[in-house]
mmCIF file with all atom_site columns, all heavy atoms in Angstrom:
data_model
loop_
_atom_site.group_PDB
_atom_site.id
_atom_site.type_symbol
_atom_site.label_atom_id
_atom_site.label_alt_id
_atom_site.label_comp_id
_atom_site.label_asym_id
_atom_site.label_entity_id
_atom_site.label_seq_id
_atom_site.pdbx_PDB_ins_code
_atom_site.Cartn_x
_atom_site.Cartn_y
_atom_site.Cartn_z
_atom_site.occupancy
_atom_site.B_iso_or_equiv
_atom_site.pdbx_formal_charge
_atom_site.auth_seq_id
_atom_site.auth_comp_id
_atom_site.auth_asym_id
_atom_site.auth_atom_id
_atom_site.pdbx_PDB_model_num
ATOM 1   N N   . ALA H 1 1  ? 0.838   -1.200 0.000   1.00 91.00 ? 1  ALA H N   1
ATOM 2   C CA  . ALA H 1 1  ? 0.000   0.000  0.000   1.00 91.00 ? 1  ALA H CA  1
ATOM 3   C C   . ALA H 1 1  ? 0.874   1.250  0.000   1.00 91.00 ? 1  ALA H C   1
ATOM 4   O O   . ALA H 1 1  ? 1.804   1.367  0.794   1.00 91.00 ? 1  ALA H O   1
ATOM 5   C CB  . ALA H 1 1  ? -0.916  -0.009 1.220   1.00 91.00 ? 1  ALA H CB  1
ATOM 6   N N   . VAL H 1 2  ? 0.568   2.185  -0.910  1.00 90.00 ? 2  VAL H N   1
ATOM 7   C CA  . VAL H 1 2  ? 1.358   3.415  -1.005  1.00 90.00 ? 2  VAL H CA  1
ATOM 8   C C   . VAL H 1 2  ? 0.495   4.668  -0.876  1.00 90.00 ? 2  VAL H C   1
ATOM 9   O O   . VAL H 1 2  ? 1.009   5.736  -0.556  1.00 90.00 ? 2  VAL H O   1
ATOM 10  C CB  . VAL H 1 2  ? 2.145   3.480  -2.338  1.00 90.00 ? 2  VAL H CB  1
ATOM 11  C CG1 . VAL H 1 2  ? 3.207   2.402  -2.382  1.00 90.00 ? 2  VAL H CG1 1
ATOM 12  C CG2 . VAL H 1 2  ? 1.204   3.363  -3.535  1.00 90.00 ? 2  VAL H CG2 1
ATOM 13  N N   . ALA H 1 3  ? -0.810  4.546  -1.130  1.00 89.00 ? 3  ALA H N   1
ATOM 14  C CA  . ALA H 1 3  ? -1.666  5.731  -1.099  1.00 89.00 ? 3  ALA H CA  1
ATOM 15  C C   . ALA H 1 3  ? -3.111  5.321  -0.859  1.00 89.00 ? 3  ALA H C   1
ATOM 16  O O   . ALA H 1 3  ? -3.481  4.153  -1.040  1.00 89.00 ? 3  ALA H O   1
ATOM 17  C CB  . ALA H 1 3  ? -1.547  6.518  -2.405  1.00 89.00 ? 3  ALA H CB  1
ATOM 18  N N   . VAL H 1 4  ? -3.915  6.309  -0.468  1.00 91.00 ? 4  VAL H N   1
ATOM 19  C CA  . VAL H 1 4  ? -5.351  6.105  -0.265  1.00 91.00 ? 4  VAL H CA  1
ATOM 20  C C   . VAL H 1 4  ? -6.090  7.146  -1.094  1.00 91.00 ? 4  VAL H C   1
ATOM 21  O O   . VAL H 1 4  ? -5.778  8.339  -1.044  1.00 91.00 ? 4  VAL H O   1
ATOM 22  C CB  . VAL H 1 4  ? -5.744  6.234  1.221   1.00 91.00 ? 4  VAL H CB  1
ATOM 23  C CG1 . VAL H 1 4  ? -7.246  6.013  1.392   1.00 91.00 ? 4  VAL H CG1 1
ATOM 24  C CG2 . VAL H 1 4  ? -4.960  5.228  2.063   1.00 91.00 ? 4  VAL H CG2 1
ATOM 25  N N   . ARG H 1 5  ? -7.058  6.673  -1.847  1.00 87.00 ? 5  ARG H N   1
ATOM 26  C CA  . ARG H 1 5  ? -7.814  7.540  -2.749  1.00 87.00 ? 5  ARG H CA  1
ATOM 27  C C   . ARG H 1 5  ? -9.212  7.815  -2.178  1.00 87.00 ? 5  ARG H C   1
ATOM 28  O O   . ARG H 1 5  ? -9.834  6.946  -1.588  1.00 87.00 ? 5  ARG H O   1
ATOM 29  C CB  . ARG H 1 5  ? -7.926  6.859  -4.119  1.00 87.00 ? 5  ARG H CB  1
ATOM 30  C CG  . ARG H 1 5  ? -8.658  7.649  -5.192  1.00 87.00 ? 5  ARG H CG  1
ATOM 31  C CD  . ARG H 1 5  ? -8.548  6.931  -6.516  1.00 87.00 ? 5  ARG H CD  1
ATOM 32  N NE  . ARG H 1 5  ? -7.157  6.864  -6.970  1.00 87.00 ? 5  ARG H NE  1
ATOM 33  C CZ  . ARG H 1 5  ? -6.687  5.935  -7.782  1.00 87.00 ? 5  ARG H CZ  1
ATOM 34  N NH1 . ARG H 1 5  ? -7.470  4.954  -8.211  1.00 87.00 ? 5  ARG H NH1 1
ATOM 35  N NH2 . ARG H 1 5  ? -5.422  5.964  -8.150  1.00 87.00 ? 5  ARG H NH2 1
ATOM 36  N N   . ASN H 1 6  ? -9.696  9.040  -2.392  1.00 88.00 ? 6  ASN H N   1
ATOM 37  C CA  . ASN H 1 6  ? -11.060 9.441  -2.020  1.00 88.00 ? 6  ASN H CA  1
ATOM 38  C C   . ASN H 1 6  ? -11.328 9.360  -0.520  1.00 88.00 ? 6  ASN H C   1
ATOM 39  O O   . ASN H 1 6  ? -12.450 9.077  -0.090  1.00 88.00 ? 6  ASN H O   1
ATOM 40  C CB  . ASN H 1 6  ? -12.094 8.586  -2.771  1.00 88.00 ? 6  ASN H CB  1
ATOM 41  C CG  . ASN H 1 6  ? -12.017 8.765  -4.276  1.00 88.00 ? 6  ASN H CG  1
ATOM 42  O OD1 . ASN H 1 6  ? -11.902 9.896  -4.755  1.00 88.00 ? 6  ASN H OD1 1
ATOM 43  N ND2 . ASN H 1 6  ? -12.063 7.675  -5.018  1.00 88.00 ? 6  ASN H ND2 1
ATOM 44  N N   . ALA H 1 7  ? -10.307 9.613  0.280   1.00 90.00 ? 7  ALA H N   1
ATOM 45  C CA  . ALA H 1 7  ? -10.478 9.561  1.737   1.00 90.00 ? 7  ALA H CA  1
ATOM 46  C C   . ALA H 1 7  ? -11.074 10.867 2.245   1.00 90.00 ? 7  ALA H C   1
ATOM 47  O O   . ALA H 1 7  ? -10.597 11.948 1.874   1.00 90.00 ? 7  ALA H O   1
ATOM 48  C CB  . ALA H 1 7  ? -9.143  9.297  2.419   1.00 90.00 ? 7  ALA H CB  1
ATOM 49  N N   . PRO H 1 8  ? -12.099 10.810 3.116   1.00 91.00 ? 8  PRO H N   1
ATOM 50  C CA  . PRO H 1 8  ? -12.626 12.039 3.714   1.00 91.00 ? 8  PRO H CA  1
ATOM 51  C C   . PRO H 1 8  ? -11.597 12.651 4.658   1.00 91.00 ? 8  PRO H C   1
ATOM 52  O O   . PRO H 1 8  ? -10.662 11.985 5.115   1.00 91.00 ? 8  PRO H O   1
ATOM 53  C CB  . PRO H 1 8  ? -13.872 11.558 4.465   1.00 91.00 ? 8  PRO H CB  1
ATOM 54  C CG  . PRO H 1 8  ? -13.646 10.101 4.706   1.00 91.00 ? 8  PRO H CG  1
ATOM 55  C CD  . PRO H 1 8  ? -12.834 9.613  3.558   1.00 91.00 ? 8  PRO H CD  1
ATOM 56  N N   . THR H 1 9  ? -11.807 13.912 4.989   1.00 91.00 ? 9  THR H N   1
ATOM 57  C CA  . THR H 1 9  ? -10.836 14.668 5.787   1.00 91.00 ? 9  THR H CA  1
ATOM 58  C C   . THR H 1 9  ? -10.554 14.015 7.132   1.00 91.00 ? 9  THR H C   1
ATOM 59  O O   . THR H 1 9  ? -9.409  14.029 7.610   1.00 91.00 ? 9  THR H O   1
ATOM 60  C CB  . THR H 1 9  ? -11.338 16.109 6.001   1.00 91.00 ? 9  THR H CB  1
ATOM 61  O OG1 . THR H 1 9  ? -11.615 16.688 4.725   1.00 91.00 ? 9  THR H OG1 1
ATOM 62  C CG2 . THR H 1 9  ? -10.292 16.949 6.713   1.00 91.00 ? 9  THR H CG2 1
ATOM 63  N N   . ASP H 1 10 ? -11.595 13.426 7.753   1.00 91.00 ? 10 ASP H N   1
ATOM 64  C CA  . ASP H 1 10 ? -11.391 12.866 9.088   1.00 91.00 ? 10 ASP H CA  1
ATOM 65  C C   . ASP H 1 10 ? -10.508 11.622 9.094   1.00 91.00 ? 10 ASP H C   1
ATOM 66  O O   . ASP H 1 10 ? -10.119 11.141 10.157  1.00 91.00 ? 10 ASP H O   1
ATOM 67  C CB  . ASP H 1 10 ? -12.737 12.557 9.758   1.00 91.00 ? 10 ASP H CB  1
ATOM 68  C CG  . ASP H 1 10 ? -13.595 11.585 8.967   1.00 91.00 ? 10 ASP H CG  1
ATOM 69  O OD1 . ASP H 1 10 ? -13.172 11.168 7.861   1.00 91.00 ? 10 ASP H OD1 1
ATOM 70  O OD2 . ASP H 1 10 ? -14.687 11.219 9.442   1.00 91.00 ? 10 ASP H OD2 1
ATOM 71  N N   . MET H 1 11 ? -10.168 11.089 7.917   1.00 92.00 ? 11 MET H N   1
ATOM 72  C CA  . MET H 1 11 ? -9.267  9.936  7.832   1.00 92.00 ? 11 MET H CA  1
ATOM 73  C C   . MET H 1 11 ? -7.819  10.346 7.612   1.00 92.00 ? 11 MET H C   1
ATOM 74  O O   . MET H 1 11 ? -6.909  9.531  7.757   1.00 92.00 ? 11 MET H O   1
ATOM 75  C CB  . MET H 1 11 ? -9.682  9.005  6.681   1.00 92.00 ? 11 MET H CB  1
ATOM 76  C CG  . MET H 1 11 ? -10.939 8.212  6.894   1.00 92.00 ? 11 MET H CG  1
ATOM 77  S SD  . MET H 1 11 ? -11.165 7.067  5.486   1.00 92.00 ? 11 MET H SD  1
ATOM 78  C CE  . MET H 1 11 ? -12.702 6.263  5.937   1.00 92.00 ? 11 MET H CE  1
ATOM 79  N N   . HIS H 1 12 ? -7.596  11.589 7.213   1.00 94.00 ? 12 HIS H N   1
ATOM 80  C CA  . HIS H 1 12 ? -6.280  12.003 6.723   1.00 94.00 ? 12 HIS H CA  1
ATOM 81  C C   . HIS H 1 12 ? -5.163  11.771 7.733   1.00 94.00 ? 12 HIS H C   1
ATOM 82  O O   . HIS H 1 12 ? -4.098  11.251 7.384   1.00 94.00 ? 12 HIS H O   1
ATOM 83  C CB  . HIS H 1 12 ? -6.314  13.472 6.290   1.00 94.00 ? 12 HIS H CB  1
ATOM 84  C CG  . HIS H 1 12 ? -7.068  13.685 5.010   1.00 94.00 ? 12 HIS H CG  1
ATOM 85  N ND1 . HIS H 1 12 ? -7.106  14.900 4.357   1.00 94.00 ? 12 HIS H ND1 1
ATOM 86  C CD2 . HIS H 1 12 ? -7.814  12.835 4.265   1.00 94.00 ? 12 HIS H CD2 1
ATOM 87  C CE1 . HIS H 1 12 ? -7.833  14.787 3.273   1.00 94.00 ? 12 HIS H CE1 1
ATOM 88  N NE2 . HIS H 1 12 ? -8.293  13.552 3.191   1.00 94.00 ? 12 HIS H NE2 1
ATOM 89  N N   . ASP H 1 13 ? -5.373  12.162 8.976   1.00 93.00 ? 13 ASP H N   1
ATOM 90  C CA  . ASP H 1 13 ? -4.296  12.041 9.968   1.00 93.00 ? 13 ASP H CA  1
ATOM 91  C C   . ASP H 1 13 ? -3.882  10.583 10.159  1.00 93.00 ? 13 ASP H C   1
ATOM 92  O O   . ASP H 1 13 ? -2.683  10.264 10.228  1.00 93.00 ? 13 ASP H O   1
ATOM 93  C CB  . ASP H 1 13 ? -4.741  12.643 11.303  1.00 93.00 ? 13 ASP H CB  1
ATOM 94  C CG  . ASP H 1 13 ? -4.806  14.169 11.263  1.00 93.00 ? 13 ASP H CG  1
ATOM 95  O OD1 . ASP H 1 13 ? -4.223  14.747 10.321  1.00 93.00 ? 13 ASP H OD1 1
ATOM 96  O OD2 . ASP H 1 13 ? -5.438  14.759 12.163  1.00 93.00 ? 13 ASP H OD2 1
ATOM 97  N N   . ALA H 1 14 ? -4.869  9.682  10.255  1.00 93.00 ? 14 ALA H N   1
ATOM 98  C CA  . ALA H 1 14 ? -4.569  8.263  10.462  1.00 93.00 ? 14 ALA H CA  1
ATOM 99  C C   . ALA H 1 14 ? -3.853  7.673  9.253   1.00 93.00 ? 14 ALA H C   1
ATOM 100 O O   . ALA H 1 14 ? -2.954  6.830  9.394   1.00 93.00 ? 14 ALA H O   1
ATOM 101 C CB  . ALA H 1 14 ? -5.853  7.496  10.748  1.00 93.00 ? 14 ALA H CB  1
ATOM 102 N N   . ILE H 1 15 ? -4.238  8.120  8.068   1.00 93.00 ? 15 ILE H N   1
ATOM 103 C CA  . ILE H 1 15 ? -3.598  7.632  6.840   1.00 93.00 ? 15 ILE H CA  1
ATOM 104 C C   . ILE H 1 15 ? -2.144  8.095  6.775   1.00 93.00 ? 15 ILE H C   1
ATOM 105 O O   . ILE H 1 15 ? -1.226  7.304  6.520   1.00 93.00 ? 15 ILE H O   1
ATOM 106 C CB  . ILE H 1 15 ? -4.385  8.120  5.607   1.00 93.00 ? 15 ILE H CB  1
ATOM 107 C CG1 . ILE H 1 15 ? -5.752  7.431  5.538   1.00 93.00 ? 15 ILE H CG1 1
ATOM 108 C CG2 . ILE H 1 15 ? -3.593  7.863  4.317   1.00 93.00 ? 15 ILE H CG2 1
ATOM 109 C CD1 . ILE H 1 15 ? -6.687  8.044  4.521   1.00 93.00 ? 15 ILE H CD1 1
ATOM 110 N N   . LEU H 1 16 ? -1.935  9.364  7.002   1.00 93.00 ? 16 LEU H N   1
ATOM 111 C CA  . LEU H 1 16 ? -0.582  9.911  6.945   1.00 93.00 ? 16 LEU H CA  1
ATOM 112 C C   . LEU H 1 16 ? 0.322   9.313  8.014   1.00 93.00 ? 16 LEU H C   1
ATOM 113 O O   . LEU H 1 16 ? 1.532   9.162  7.817   1.00 93.00 ? 16 LEU H O   1
ATOM 114 C CB  . LEU H 1 16 ? -0.631  11.437 7.077   1.00 93.00 ? 16 LEU H CB  1
ATOM 115 C CG  . LEU H 1 16 ? -1.323  12.181 5.927   1.00 93.00 ? 16 LEU H CG  1
ATOM 116 C CD1 . LEU H 1 16 ? -1.481  13.665 6.258   1.00 93.00 ? 16 LEU H CD1 1
ATOM 117 C CD2 . LEU H 1 16 ? -0.566  12.000 4.619   1.00 93.00 ? 16 LEU H CD2 1
ATOM 118 N N   . ALA H 1 17 ? -0.273  8.948  9.164   1.00 92.00 ? 17 ALA H N   1
ATOM 119 C CA  . ALA H 1 17 ? 0.516   8.350  10.247  1.00 92.00 ? 17 ALA H CA  1
ATOM 120 C C   . ALA H 1 17 ? 1.086   6.994  9.846   1.00 92.00 ? 17 ALA H C   1
ATOM 121 O O   . ALA H 1 17 ? 2.080   6.538  10.429  1.00 92.00 ? 17 ALA H O   1
ATOM 122 C CB  . ALA H 1 17 ? -0.353  8.200  11.498  1.00 92.00 ? 17 ALA H CB  1
ATOM 123 N N   . GLN H 1 18 ? 0.477   6.328  8.855   1.00 91.00 ? 18 GLN H N   1
ATOM 124 C CA  . GLN H 1 18 ? 0.989   5.057  8.365   1.00 91.00 ? 18 GLN H CA  1
ATOM 125 C C   . GLN H 1 18 ? 1.986   5.230  7.220   1.00 91.00 ? 18 GLN H C   1
ATOM 126 O O   . GLN H 1 18 ? 2.433   4.252  6.618   1.00 91.00 ? 18 GLN H O   1
ATOM 127 C CB  . GLN H 1 18 ? -0.174  4.165  7.890   1.00 91.00 ? 18 GLN H CB  1
ATOM 128 C CG  . GLN H 1 18 ? -1.103  3.711  8.996   1.00 91.00 ? 18 GLN H CG  1
ATOM 129 C CD  . GLN H 1 18 ? -0.383  2.889  10.034  1.00 91.00 ? 18 GLN H CD  1
ATOM 130 O OE1 . GLN H 1 18 ? 0.450   2.041  9.708   1.00 91.00 ? 18 GLN H OE1 1
ATOM 131 N NE2 . GLN H 1 18 ? -0.676  3.144  11.305  1.00 91.00 ? 18 GLN H NE2 1
ATOM 132 N N   . GLY H 1 19 ? 2.313   6.488  6.899   1.00 91.00 ? 19 GLY H N   1
ATOM 133 C CA  . GLY H 1 19 ? 3.262   6.738  5.814   1.00 91.00 ? 19 GLY H CA  1
ATOM 134 C C   . GLY H 1 19 ? 2.644   6.632  4.440   1.00 91.00 ? 19 GLY H C   1
ATOM 135 O O   . GLY H 1 19 ? 3.359   6.556  3.432   1.00 91.00 ? 19 GLY H O   1
ATOM 136 N N   . LEU H 1 20 ? 1.304   6.631  4.366   1.00 90.00 ? 20 LEU H N   1
ATOM 137 C CA  . LEU H 1 20 ? 0.608   6.549  3.089   1.00 90.00 ? 20 LEU H CA  1
ATOM 138 C C   . LEU H 1 20 ? 0.330   7.946  2.552   1.00 90.00 ? 20 LEU H C   1
ATOM 139 O O   . LEU H 1 20 ? 0.165   8.897  3.319   1.00 90.00 ? 20 LEU H O   1
ATOM 140 C CB  . LEU H 1 20 ? -0.712  5.785  3.244   1.00 90.00 ? 20 LEU H CB  1
ATOM 141 C CG  . LEU H 1 20 ? -0.619  4.373  3.807   1.00 90.00 ? 20 LEU H CG  1
ATOM 142 C CD1 . LEU H 1 20 ? -2.013  3.803  4.050   1.00 90.00 ? 20 LEU H CD1 1
ATOM 143 C CD2 . LEU H 1 20 ? 0.158   3.467  2.852   1.00 90.00 ? 20 LEU H CD2 1
ATOM 144 N N   . SER H 1 21 ? 0.255   8.061  1.237   1.00 90.00 ? 21 SER H N   1
ATOM 145 C CA  . SER H 1 21 ? -0.065  9.336  0.605   1.00 90.00 ? 21 SER H CA  1
ATOM 146 C C   . SER H 1 21 ? -1.570  9.471  0.424   1.00 90.00 ? 21 SER H C   1
ATOM 147 O O   . SER H 1 21 ? -2.307  8.477  0.457   1.00 90.00 ? 21 SER H O   1
ATOM 148 C CB  . SER H 1 21 ? 0.630   9.438  -0.758  1.00 90.00 ? 21 SER H CB  1
ATOM 149 O OG  . SER H 1 21 ? 2.036   9.360  -0.612  1.00 90.00 ? 21 SER H OG  1
ATOM 150 N N   . LEU H 1 22 ? -2.007  10.688 0.207   1.00 87.00 ? 22 LEU H N   1
ATOM 151 C CA  . LEU H 1 22 ? -3.414  10.974 -0.066  1.00 87.00 ? 22 LEU H CA  1
ATOM 152 C C   . LEU H 1 22 ? -3.587  11.224 -1.556  1.00 87.00 ? 22 LEU H C   1
ATOM 153 O O   . LEU H 1 22 ? -2.841  11.995 -2.153  1.00 87.00 ? 22 LEU H O   1
ATOM 154 C CB  . LEU H 1 22 ? -3.876  12.186 0.727   1.00 87.00 ? 22 LEU H CB  1
ATOM 155 C CG  . LEU H 1 22 ? -3.866  12.024 2.251   1.00 87.00 ? 22 LEU H CG  1
ATOM 156 C CD1 . LEU H 1 22 ? -4.098  13.366 2.931   1.00 87.00 ? 22 LEU H CD1 1
ATOM 157 C CD2 . LEU H 1 22 ? -4.913  11.008 2.691   1.00 87.00 ? 22 LEU H CD2 1
ATOM 158 N N   . ASP H 1 23 ? -4.557  10.555 -2.151  1.00 78.00 ? 23 ASP H N   1
ATOM 159 C CA  . ASP H 1 23 ? -4.810  10.671 -3.578  1.00 78.00 ? 23 ASP H CA  1
ATOM 160 C C   . ASP H 1 23 ? -6.272  11.063 -3.752  1.00 78.00 ? 23 ASP H C   1
ATOM 161 O O   . ASP H 1 23 ? -7.172  10.329 -3.342  1.00 78.00 ? 23 ASP H O   1
ATOM 162 C CB  . ASP H 1 23 ? -4.520  9.333  -4.267  1.00 78.00 ? 23 ASP H CB  1
ATOM 163 C CG  . ASP H 1 23 ? -4.692  9.391  -5.776  1.00 78.00 ? 23 ASP H CG  1
ATOM 164 O OD1 . ASP H 1 23 ? -5.197  10.405 -6.278  1.00 78.00 ? 23 ASP H OD1 1
ATOM 165 O OD2 . ASP H 1 23 ? -4.343  8.399  -6.452  1.00 78.00 ? 23 ASP H OD2 1
ATOM 166 N N   . SER H 1 24 ? -6.514  12.219 -4.369  1.00 63.00 ? 24 SER H N   1
ATOM 167 C CA  . SER H 1 24 ? -7.892  12.685 -4.555  1.00 63.00 ? 24 SER H CA  1
ATOM 168 C C   . SER H 1 24 ? -8.618  11.909 -5.631  1.00 63.00 ? 24 SER H C   1
ATOM 169 O O   . SER H 1 24 ? -9.838  11.997 -5.767  1.00 63.00 ? 24 SER H O   1
ATOM 170 C CB  . SER H 1 24 ? -7.889  14.170 -4.918  1.00 63.00 ? 24 SER H CB  1
ATOM 171 O OG  . SER H 1 24 ? -7.298  14.366 -6.189  1.00 63.00 ? 24 SER H OG  1
ATOM 172 N N   . GLY H 1 25 ? -7.862  11.161 -6.461  1.00 54.00 ? 25 GLY H N   1
ATOM 173 C CA  . GLY H 1 25 ? -8.480  10.452 -7.573  1.00 54.00 ? 25 GLY H CA  1
ATOM 174 C C   . GLY H 1 25 ? -8.522  11.276 -8.835  1.00 54.00 ? 25 GLY H C   1
ATOM 175 O O   . GLY H 1 25 ? -8.900  10.782 -9.895  1.00 54.00 ? 25 GLY H O   1
ATOM 176 N N   . LYS H 1 26 ? -8.121  12.552 -8.746  1.00 50.00 ? 26 LYS H N   1
ATOM 177 C CA  . LYS H 1 26 ? -8.117  13.417 -9.922  1.00 50.00 ? 26 LYS H CA  1
ATOM 178 C C   . LYS H 1 26 ? -6.748  13.411 -10.574 1.00 50.00 ? 26 LYS H C   1
ATOM 179 O O   . LYS H 1 26 ? -5.739  13.180 -9.923  1.00 50.00 ? 26 LYS H O   1
ATOM 180 C CB  . LYS H 1 26 ? -8.487  14.857 -9.532  1.00 50.00 ? 26 LYS H CB  1
ATOM 181 C CG  . LYS H 1 26 ? -9.898  14.995 -8.980  1.00 50.00 ? 26 LYS H CG  1
ATOM 182 C CD  . LYS H 1 26 ? -10.183 16.445 -8.638  1.00 50.00 ? 26 LYS H CD  1
ATOM 183 C CE  . LYS H 1 26 ? -11.601 16.607 -8.089  1.00 50.00 ? 26 LYS H CE  1
ATOM 184 N NZ  . LYS H 1 26 ? -11.884 18.028 -7.745  1.00 50.00 ? 26 LYS H NZ  1
ATOM 185 N N   . THR H 1 27 ? -6.708  13.661 -11.844 1.00 42.00 ? 27 THR H N   1
ATOM 186 C CA  . THR H 1 27 ? -5.454  13.802 -12.580 1.00 42.00 ? 27 THR H CA  1
ATOM 187 C C   . THR H 1 27 ? -5.223  15.275 -12.864 1.00 42.00 ? 27 THR H C   1
ATOM 188 O O   . THR H 1 27 ? -6.094  16.122 -12.663 1.00 42.00 ? 27 THR H O   1
ATOM 189 C CB  . THR H 1 27 ? -5.490  13.033 -13.915 1.00 42.00 ? 27 THR H CB  1
ATOM 190 O OG1 . THR H 1 27 ? -6.488  13.639 -14.749 1.00 42.00 ? 27 THR H OG1 1
ATOM 191 C CG2 . THR H 1 27 ? -5.847  11.570 -13.689 1.00 42.00 ? 27 THR H CG2 1
ATOM 192 N N   . ARG H 1 28 ? -4.047  15.594 -13.354 1.00 40.00 ? 28 ARG H N   1
ATOM 193 C CA  . ARG H 1 28 ? -3.749  16.993 -13.681 1.00 40.00 ? 28 ARG H CA  1
ATOM 194 C C   . ARG H 1 28 ? -4.703  17.521 -14.733 1.00 40.00 ? 28 ARG H C   1
ATOM 195 O O   . ARG H 1 28 ? -4.997  18.709 -14.793 1.00 40.00 ? 28 ARG H O   1
ATOM 196 C CB  . ARG H 1 28 ? -2.302  17.109 -14.164 1.00 40.00 ? 28 ARG H CB  1
ATOM 197 C CG  . ARG H 1 28 ? -1.290  16.810 -13.077 1.00 40.00 ? 28 ARG H CG  1
ATOM 198 C CD  . ARG H 1 28 ? 0.121   16.947 -13.590 1.00 40.00 ? 28 ARG H CD  1
ATOM 199 N NE  . ARG H 1 28 ? 1.089   16.638 -12.567 1.00 40.00 ? 28 ARG H NE  1
ATOM 200 C CZ  . ARG H 1 28 ? 2.390   16.662 -12.765 1.00 40.00 ? 28 ARG H CZ  1
ATOM 201 N NH1 . ARG H 1 28 ? 2.872   16.989 -13.941 1.00 40.00 ? 28 ARG H NH1 1
ATOM 202 N NH2 . ARG H 1 28 ? 3.225   16.352 -11.779 1.00 40.00 ? 28 ARG H NH2 1
#
């Protein structure tokens, strides 16, 4: 696991604490 997509804001801290990146699911 390297990233989490479509995570709501209340999950962000727990996700980042595991060293995972946040992915909105959008491209440039």
Side-chain angles (χ1 to χ4, degrees):
V2 293
V4 180
R5 182 173 296 154
N6 297 316
T9 305
D10 58 358
M11 288 185 181
H12 288 187
D13 288 344
I15 291 169
L16 295 172
Q18 293 299 318
L20 303 174
S21 300
L22 296 170
D23 183 351
S24 67
K26 296 181 180 180
T27 65
R28 293 180 181 179

